[in-house]
């Protein structure tokens, strides 16, 4: 490959550190797709003959079929997927294979391959998020009336509905999808034709190759085109935020499925047992999803660190970009699929959710609001009066609705019997009918809105 510049081959250690074929062979399809587009453009521009262009394109299809059939022998001596493909192409078609690399460099070639591969991952993640959001919408619609505790500081705060809680994650994952869509648009410029760093003297048509590969346009600066890895960083950033959301939900599922909470039953398909304790049903899928964010965040930090000190244009350091993105993409796709499966199968424990929703004086805010609304108290005075009643109930070991009217009036003499109408959990959630609130009708409106958007 190096021609006449080097008199001796690389040391074995140099070969080991330099070779990337063990991992970049994952981009074989993208590499061949890019090379076929490049060959077609060279022929159309008269840079190579039509017959050579056709031989190259057909030969590349043969190489791809060998790779997909598992019949291709990858060589570390050839370093990477690009040279492995080109070498095999020469075996198949002879001299015309040597014309394929006209007007390009491995620098713009690898940038193109990597962009194509990453773009596919964006598309896969967007599809995975759509599936997960669909599963959450199914839970939300079925559980719009199911009352459960809402928490702050992992302490019971106010009653909410199961559907409302599910819709919170729909909103989170929708933002993840939006970020990925935005990043996909931003990355969709073709590096092909930027060559090593300065462009090429050949009369190539970069618009033609960009269009053939589904890019919106060619990149406008050849130095930037070969050294840009923003798209990989954005993928990792989007993946990290999405994985954080997955991890938060996974944490809730771990807690909710415990014997102490009994909020939800996870299916056997996404649970495991114990080798010694026959009673155990462990939420291992949720725990592993929770752990994936560590790997994905690590990949983001690794690539940020790799890129932070690189001068323009290409440096070999950038070979270390792909394994980080490959691993993060694998982790994210698996986590999305597992979470979608768990959400689709899980069953809320309606009785436990309702019982817990009434604990911890969860309707205290409803009482304070009643004092403001019905008696005209300033909210701070209502807050103080309600706090005194909570303390009284706590001392008696009962809940607010169990206090007598006389006890209620000790906090404010104008409290009357109608106060009890706001203290039930069903009344509480029904009253939260402001836009985006937990009231069942609001939940159904949001479910319908999102079902329409996803369709």
């Amino acid at each position: 490959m190096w021609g006449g510049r080097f008199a001796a081959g690389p040391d074995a250690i140099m070969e080991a550190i330099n070779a990337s074929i063990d991992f970049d062979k994952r981009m074989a399809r993208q590499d061949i797709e890019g090379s076929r587009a490049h060959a077609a453009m060279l022929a159309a521009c008269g840079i190579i003959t039509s017959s050579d262009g056709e031989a190259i394109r057909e030969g590349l299809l043969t190489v791809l079929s060998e790779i997909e059939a598992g019949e291709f022998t990858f060589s570390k001596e050839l370093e990477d997927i690009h040279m492995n493909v080109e070498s095999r192409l020469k075996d198949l078609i002879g001299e015309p294979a040597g014309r394929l690399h006209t007007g390009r460099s491995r620098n713009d070639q690898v940038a193109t391959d990597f962009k194509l591969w990453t773009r596919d991952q964006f598309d896969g993640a967007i599809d995975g998020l759509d599936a997960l959001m669909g599963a959450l919408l199914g839970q939300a619609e079925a559980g719009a009336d199911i009352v459960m505790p809402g928490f702050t500081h992992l302490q019971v705060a106010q009653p909410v509905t199961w559907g409302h809680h599910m819709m919170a994650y729909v909103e989170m994952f929708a933002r993840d999808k939006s970020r990925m869509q935005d990043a996909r648009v931003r990355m969709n410029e073709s590096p092909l034709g930027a060559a090593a760093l300065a462009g090429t003297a050949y009369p190539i048509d970069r618009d033609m190759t960009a269009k053939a590969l589904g890019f919106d346009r060619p990149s406008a600066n050849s130095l930037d085109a070969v050294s840009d890895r923003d798209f990989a960083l954005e993928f990792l950033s989007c993946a990290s935020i999405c994985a954080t959301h997955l991890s938060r939900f996974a944490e809730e599922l771990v807690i909710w499925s415990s014997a102490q909470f009994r909020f939800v039953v996870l299916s056997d398909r996404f649970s495991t047992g114990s080798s010694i304790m026959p009673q155990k049903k462990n939420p291992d899928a949720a725990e592993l999803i929770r752990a994936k964010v560590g790997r994905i965040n690590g990949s983001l930090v690794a690539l940020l660190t790799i890129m932070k000190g690189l001068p323009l244009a290409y440096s070999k350091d950038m070979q270390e970009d792909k394994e980080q993105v490959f691993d993060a993409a694998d982790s994210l796709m698996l986590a999305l699929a597992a979470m979608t499966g768990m959400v689709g199968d899980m069953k809320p424990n309606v009785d436990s959710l309702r019982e817990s929703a009434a604990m911890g004086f969860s309707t205290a805010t409803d009482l304070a609001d009643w004092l403001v609304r019905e008696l005209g108290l300033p909210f701070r005075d209502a807050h103080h009066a309600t706090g005194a009643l909570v303390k009284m109930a706590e001392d008696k070991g009962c809940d607010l609705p169990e206090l007598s009217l006389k006890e209620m009036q000790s906090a404010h003499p104008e409290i009357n019997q109608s106060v009890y109408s706001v203290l039930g959990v069903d009344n509480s959630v029904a009253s939260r009918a402001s836009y985006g609130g937990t009231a069942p009708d609001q939940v159904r409106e949001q479910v319908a809105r999102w079902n329409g958007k996803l369709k």
Side-chain angles (χ1 to χ4, degrees):
M1 175 170 55
W2 306 118
R5 174 63 179 84
F6 288 78
D11 184 89
I13 295 175
M14 178 60 195
E15 183 177 292
I17 197 173
N18 194 47
S20 59
I21 187 59
D22 286 345
F23 54 85
D24 69 17
K25 62 187 178 184
R26 291 185 64 162
M27 300 191 301
R29 181 177 61 80
Q30 289 81 12
D31 187 71
I32 289 170
E33 183 182 355
S35 290
R36 294 187 79 241
H38 185 66
M41 180 276 295
L42 292 176
C45 292
I47 299 169
I48 63 174
T49 65
S50 296
S51 59
D52 281 352
E54 185 62 23
I56 291 169
R57 286 168 57 78
E58 291 302 313
L60 286 168
L61 287 179
T62 301
V63 176
L64 180 60
S65 67
E66 290 177 352
I67 293 172
E68 291 178 341
E71 299 168 355
F72 190 94
T73 301
F74 294 99
S75 169
K76 279 194 175 182
E77 292 181 358
L78 294 170
E79 292 188 11
D80 54 33
I81 186 60
H82 324 298
M83 298 311 299
N84 269 265
V85 168
E86 188 173 324
S87 176
R88 178 57 181 151
L89 182 65
K90 185 176 181 181
D91 292 341
L92 292 170
I93 68 171
E95 182 193 26
R99 305 186 191 283
L100 171 59
H101 210 52
T102 307
R104 75 174 183 186
S105 161
R106 280 196 300 175
N107 293 356
D108 63 330
Q109 187 179 358
V110 68
T112 302
D113 294 358
F114 197 20
K115 268 199 169 183
L116 290 171
W117 193 92
T118 304
R119 191 176 68 185
D120 288 343
Q121 305 316 300
F122 273 121
D123 291 341
I126 289 166
D127 289 343
L129 283 164
D130 278 343
L132 176 53
M133 291 166 65
L136 287 164
L137 286 168
Q139 285 284 348
E141 188 167 21
D145 295 293
I146 297 174
V147 178
M148 67 175 289
F151 296 91
T152 60
H153 309 279
L154 203 55
Q155 305 292 316
V156 174
Q158 291 179 291
V160 296
T161 54
W162 176 264
H164 192 56
H165 201 107
M166 296 300 107
M167 291 305 296
Y169 282 103
V170 170
E171 295 290 339
M172 287 188 213
F173 292 125
R175 291 193 297 273
D176 292 328
K177 176 182 173 181
S178 176
R179 272 183 284 272
M180 291 185 180
Q181 290 172 322
D182 289 346
R184 191 194 188 284
V185 171
R186 199 160 27 253
M187 72 168 288
N188 207 33
E189 295 183 344
S190 174
L192 194 56
L197 75 162
T200 179
Y202 292 98
I204 62 172
D205 184 346
R206 294 190 63 205
D207 288 300
M208 178 180 175
T209 50
K211 183 177 179 181
L213 295 171
F215 290 110
D216 295 328
R217 65 192 69 84
S219 54
N221 183 285
S222 59
L223 281 166
D224 177 54
V226 298
S227 60
D228 163 41
R229 292 298 182 270
D230 296 5
F231 64 91
L233 289 168
E234 282 205 90
F235 176 79
L236 292 174
S237 178
C238 293
S240 294
I241 298 171
C242 181
T244 298
H245 292 154
L246 288 167
S247 181
R248 293 182 71 184
F249 195 17
E251 170 70 4
E252 292 199 314
L253 294 181
V254 170
I255 293 171
W256 290 355
S257 62
S258 68
Q260 289 72 27
F261 273 74
R262 297 182 297 112
F263 282 5
V264 67
V265 177
L266 301 179
S267 76
D268 291 350
R269 297 197 313 143
F270 294 95
S271 306
T272 65
S274 166
S275 63
I276 189 173
M277 296 168 284
Q279 83 281 10
K280 294 294 292 296
K281 183 177 180 180
N282 299 325
D284 281 8
E287 291 171 0
L288 289 166
I289 290 170
R290 189 173 57 185
K292 291 295 183 186
V293 69
R295 291 179 67 152
I296 296 172
N297 285 354
S299 294
L300 173 59
V301 172
L303 187 53
L304 284 167
T305 306
I306 289 165
M307 297 301 298
K308 74 174 185 63
L310 298 187
L312 295 180
Y314 181 83
S315 296
K316 194 68 170 182
D317 310 49
M318 292 163 70
Q319 182 169 290
E320 293 295 316
D321 56 3
K322 293 164 204 66
E323 286 181 285
Q324 307 302 329
V325 178
F326 292 167
D327 185 76
D330 290 345
S331 294
L332 180 63
M333 302 307 173
L334 185 56
L336 283 169
M339 185 60 83
T340 301
M342 278 195 297
V343 170
D345 285 357
M346 69 182 183
K347 305 293 183 187
N349 188 333
V350 177
D351 293 338
S352 292
L353 289 166
R354 172 174 286 276
E355 180 183 351
S356 184
M359 292 179 177
F361 311 105
S362 65
T363 57
T365 306
D366 298 277
L367 174 55
D369 288 342
W370 184 90
L371 292 170
V372 171
R373 188 172 59 251
E374 300 297 326
L375 304 186
L377 269 65
F379 182 79
R380 285 301 167 204
D381 293 347
H383 187 284
H384 181 81
T386 301
L389 291 173
V390 167
K391 180 67 168 59
M392 181 186 298
E394 190 174 48
D395 290 343
K396 290 189 65 177
C398 69
D399 201 359
L400 284 172
E402 297 171 301
L403 292 175
S404 69
L405 181 58
K406 183 176 180 180
E407 288 169 326
M408 288 277 190
Q409 290 172 338
S410 69
H412 194 281
E414 295 182 36
I415 294 177
N416 57 60
Q417 191 70 33
S418 66
V419 71
Y420 293 99
S421 68
V422 301
L423 297 182
V425 292
D426 291 300
N427 291 330
S428 176
V429 296
S431 71
R432 309 292 171 183
S434 59
Y435 180 80
T438 193
D441 288 345
Q442 270 294 315
V443 171
R444 292 188 183 94
E445 285 184 20
Q446 295 299 327
V447 168
R449 179 174 72 89
W450 274 110
N451 275 327
K453 290 178 73 170
L454 284 181
K455 289 175 183 177

